[in-house]
Amino acid sequence: MNLENVFEWLLATSLRASVLAGVIFASQLLVRRWLPAGWRHALWLPMLVVLVLPVTPEVPFGISRFGDAAPRVLEPVHSGLATAADFGNVAAATSQPEDNSAAFLLAFVWLAGALAVLGAGWLGYHRNMRKIEANAQVPEVELRELIQLALAQTKVRHAPMVLLSPNVESPAVTGLLRPRLLLPAGFPAGFTEGEAQLILLHEFSHLKRLDLPLNWLACVLQAMHWFNPVLWFAFARMRADREAACDARVLAIDAQDRRAEYGGALLKLQGLNPSRALSLGFVGLFERGSEMKSRIREISTRRPDHIGWRVAGGGMITLLLVFGATKAEEPVTEAAVAPAEEMSDGVKYITDKLNSIVLPRIDLEDTTLEEAVDFLRLSANELDIGEKDPAKKGINFVIRKPRPVAGEKPFEYGLLGVKLKNVPLSKVIAELAEEAGAVVKVDDFAVTFLPAGEAKIPQDGRPTGGAPEAAAPQPKAMVDAGKIIIPRIDFENTDLKGAVEFLNLRAKDLAKDQPVPLITLDASADAGARIRELRLRNVPLSVALKYCADQVKLHMDADDKEIRLVKKP
């Protein structure tokens, strides 16, 4: 995945998260009066899920598709001969050529901005920590006792390192793997024992709620989406709700009503008037812009949580996850699957693959059809994640050309110039065929490109042909050849005699105890005829031989023990 792909995903994710943030904020306005603070903060979790998901899963109950490309409408790939139009249509937005230079420039600007924001935050964090650690003091016995009591009340198992420093203006916790409690020098001077205890309970509640790793994740995501003011506002609201959630947790620890005492402690902290805001990585009880007035008002009017609103909070989070972190399955027209009587099982199997394998990017310029098909082979094998059998992964592609005529220039397909992104393989094949001046045939084992003038396309648009062999009863030699699977065939400018010798040898090696038919060349066949290119994987011997015969315009004649290649009548 290159930088442009990452930036494209980031833009789609940013849009989806922005819409979800608006829904979350609107929901909070409607139920803020009743929904507990802890659940209000939890409502932001679906937004974080959306921002970190590499792929938005499709589910039957998904209800949104915002931030995604227009839905595809696929039509069937028929057996027999087909023009490019028969390979399905994709919404125009997914197949428009793109300006790669502009996309790369925008992606580079985004990356530079993200690194700058992350770098500035990281440097600020380490600068502050160096100052704090340089003047750190050992806590007094009285403070250590208060800390142990607060740890027990909040049920935090591992005590953080305590740093008292004149460079700390307000209590905070920081760190990830090794949390640290930061306190102003002289703490708890200026506070009563009860107020100091409440302040410590607040900071340890952050540790118990795992707010530190969540805060680090939010900092990284905010840097990645530095260009989106909606998400900056959303993260600010999430931090404010986080503090309110900790306030509620502190007041719920003690059965006594300590709202007045706790509000007094917050007002005293506000009186400290911090001269600078905390940087990345710090989670503090008092931060600039934390809407202290709103927090005091909420503390004074706090009521015990009702189980009904807890259930409602869980339900709202579930709905937000469904709305933001999933998308509805793409509607597919009924034409996407051809009627069973018009397709063999093999053709339907390949057709389903052509419609389901999606290539993220195609950028071909002055490319031969052979080079493009080699790329499709590799891509199909890599992206065929739905196929569990390694032997069946990917798709076979065959290119047929007319036999060269003496004195005439050898036939060549036209050069390709195709630029697409996020399109199914069926659409790619259609574009390649149109550019190259070819038609496409799909059978039970492969997709074949052949010259447009080689055969007439049925006027009624119905499929013709089918599997390589007719459905009539077959001679025993053909039946036996159908049971021998050739794992790999790579012919390039190979003479017919050499190809037949290879197939005979591979058949003997692979047959084991099965009968092995002999492949021979009739006197009418040109042993020096060239197979320009034939690359197949895991095909029966009979099918491989049929493709070879088609390449050199020969016919197969078989009896019980032998398959002969003869000149077509």
Side-chain angles (χ1 to χ4, degrees), residues 65 115 561:
R65 298 200 62 84
L115 292 176
K561 296 183 178 180

Side-chain angles (χ1 to χ4, degrees), residues 98-117:
E98 55 183 323
D99 187 347
N100 288 334
S101 59
F104 179 79
L105 179 60
L106 288 174
F108 182 79
V109 171
W110 160 75
L111 181 61
L115 292 176
V117 174

Side-chain angles (χ1 to χ4, degrees), residues 550-566:
D550 286 344
Q551 292 259 339
V552 294
K553 308 295 184 184
L554 295 179
H555 175 71
M556 292 193 301
D557 187 15
D559 54 27
D560 287 347
K561 296 183 178 180
E562 185 177 276
I563 302 174
R564 295 175 297 278
L565 297 183
V566 302

Side-chain angles (χ1 to χ4, degrees), residues 495-498 500 519-528 545 552 554 562-566:
D495 62 79
L496 180 60
K497 181 180 178 181
V500 168
I519 304 170
T520 62
L521 290 176
D522 187 75
S524 63
D526 181 5
L545 191 57
V552 294
L554 295 179
E562 185 177 276
I563 302 174
R564 295 175 297 278
L565 297 183
V566 302

Side-chain angles (χ1 to χ4, degrees), residues 273-312:
N273 191 23
S275 59
R276 60 180 181 273
L278 295 175
S279 62
L280 290 179
F282 295 93
V283 175
L285 186 147
F286 176 80
E287 298 183 54
R288 185 184 296 276
S290 62
E291 300 183 359
M292 182 64 69
K293 184 183 296 185
S294 175
R295 287 176 65 185
I296 295 295
R297 182 170 56 249
E298 187 164 344
I299 289 171
S300 65
T301 59
R302 178 184 174 273
R303 293 170 294 182
D305 295 346
H306 190 278
I307 189 171
W309 280 109
R310 296 180 187 177
V311 174

